Amino acid sequence: MNINKFYYVFMALASCIAFSACSLDNSDPVPQISSITASFEYQKVNEDGFWIGEKNNKGKSSDDGFGGTITQYPNEYVEGALKFPINYSVSESSLGEFTYWSGFAISARTEDSFSGLALGQYNNVVGKAKTGNKFCVVTTYGEEIEVMAEKGAIINYLYYTNSAYTVDCILNDGTISKKFDDTDWLKCTIIGTHLDGTTAKVEISLAQGTNYVNEWQKVDLAALGIVKKLSFEFDGSDKGNYGLNTPAYICLDDINYTLVQ
């Protein structure tokens, strides 16, 4: 009798262990977070192959100090969890209307050289995107890429190359800038801003002497850590009273990131 009781107790325990094992085996798996790539393919461009924002109901006007007005229209390109701001500005005066921009423009242009500011500033030296048909042209006055996810993201890497406009000024004397010699240089510092406001930096060289980046290159950015913002600062050897003379442009594509859960 005691043996039978022991047997039933043993079987009951064995069943519980088996049930527990099955429960563990069939539990929800730990979420696997995949990386995401922003490739700029979703923005519609104009007939000339670029987008620099547009007029909207958010415009704010101010006096330009010369009898005219400047109206700034904030725009943005959003892909996944990344927001790319761009300011489209319209200057109106007795001389007419002029438009300009700063931030993150989208281009689908395939020319690889510079033939004037109107279109040439939207060309890169490779003549195509890294993948797909579109890439991002960056020239900023404080605009930053924003990670919209609450807990931020790790920016794993991105691809970059030179603007055709920048390279034209490296190879030739410009109105303000000078042709590079062996002592000249140009760099871009990519700055990641953390959730607590602290920052980390990665520097990339765009030109050293007469050698310049002329293909898509990959830069690893995981060392920046978990970031909420990504910004770009330029520095170089050719400077004047108002800062850098060489056009402060860089072209980006395929920004790969992982969201923090």
Side-chain angles (χ1 to χ4, degrees), residues 129-250:
K130 175 64 176 67
T131 60
N133 298 310
K134 296 171 185 173
F135 57 94
C136 180
V137 182
V138 183
T139 183
T140 70
Y141 290 90
E143 296 89 352
E144 301 173 298
I145 299 173
E146 179 183 347
V147 178
M148 296 186 294
E150 181 181 358
K151 295 183 179 180
I154 297 171
I155 310 298
N156 299 312
Y157 60 84
L158 59 78
Y159 285 89
Y160 70 94
T161 194
N162 266 309
S163 159
Y165 179 28
T166 300
V167 168
D168 184 73
C169 291
I170 289 172
L171 298 178
N172 305 285
D173 287 325
T175 305
I176 299 174
S177 62
K178 76 177 187 69
K179 180 180 178 179
F180 273 27
D181 59 34
D182 290 341
T183 66
D184 286 307
W185 55 274
L186 178 68
K187 71 177 182 179
C188 177
T189 301
I190 303 175
I191 304 167
T193 301
H194 305 139
L195 277 71
D196 63 1
T198 59
T199 60
K201 301 178 180 181
V202 171
E203 289 187 356
I204 54 177
S205 174
L206 295 176
Q208 187 67 49
T210 56
N211 297 314
Y212 57 88
V213 174
N214 61 0
E215 59 186 1
W216 286 106
Q217 293 194 358
K218 181 179 180 180
V219 57
D220 294 321
L221 297 175
L224 295 176
I226 299 170
V227 302
K228 280 289 287 182
K229 294 180 180 179
L230 205 65
S231 57
F232 300 81
E233 291 184 356
F234 298 85
D235 196 11
S237 55
D238 184 13
K239 296 178 183 176
N241 294 332
Y242 299 100
L244 193 63
N245 291 331
T246 311
Y249 282 65
I250 190 172

Side-chain angles (χ1 to χ4, degrees), residues 10 38 60 66 83 97 148 186 204 229:
F10 174 79
K60 293 184 178 180
F66 300 96
K83 181 191 295 184
E97 181 176 294
M148 296 186 294
L186 178 68
I204 54 177
K229 294 180 180 179

Side-chain angles (χ1 to χ4, degrees), residues 47-88:
E47 60 184 9
D48 291 315
F50 63 87
W51 177 81
I52 55 172
E54 55 203 30
K55 291 182 178 180
N56 54 40
N57 58 9
K58 300 176 183 178
K60 293 184 178 180
S61 298
S62 61
D63 191 326
D64 67 0
F66 300 96
T69 61
I70 296 175
T71 306
Q72 292 186 321
Y73 299 91
N75 285 256
E76 60 191 33
Y77 171 74
V78 176
E79 185 174 346
L82 301 184
K83 181 191 295 184
F84 301 83
I86 185 166
N87 281 303
Y88 176 75

